[in-house]
Amino acid sequence: RLLAAAINVAPLPAHLSSKSYMHDLCENMNRRHRSAQLAGRSSVQLHTLIYFSGDDGAKEEDAYVLDIDMSDAKQHEAPSI
């Protein structure tokens, strides 16, 4: 609707021309988006805790190294004896 109004294809609906209505609408969408982000993060934390909680919390899994970032790598030399 906003794109159609911007390129003069269709007129802007009356309820979208109210600045206070649009402000409230955006405020609500931002609040819901933030809540969804926090819920997702909490879910990951919960499932990680459930996965690692157990007898001793130790797990062994197979894994692959996909990338190594050498930009922060520092060269270390072994001390000579």
Side-chain angles (χ1 to χ4, degrees), residues 9-78:
V9 172
L12 186 65
H15 70 281
L16 294 180
S17 62
S18 169
K19 187 173 182 177
S20 63
Y21 173 79
M22 291 300 291
H23 179 270
D24 293 342
L25 184 65
C26 290
E27 189 77 24
N28 185 36
M29 287 191 293
N30 288 335
R31 182 179 47 79
R32 291 174 60 131
H33 180 258
R34 178 77 174 138
S35 295
Q37 283 182 326
L38 294 175
R41 291 176 189 157
S42 295
S43 176
V44 168
Q45 288 177 345
L46 173 65
H47 286 88
T48 302
L49 178 68
I50 290 170
Y51 179 77
F52 284 110
S53 66
D55 297 335
D56 60 357
K59 299 284 183 187
E60 185 173 322
E61 293 291 331
D62 293 331
Y64 295 98
V65 176
L66 300 178
D67 188 23
I68 298 174
D69 185 9
M70 297 301 289
S71 64
D72 291 334
K74 296 179 182 174
Q75 185 175 2
H76 295 283
E77 294 182 19

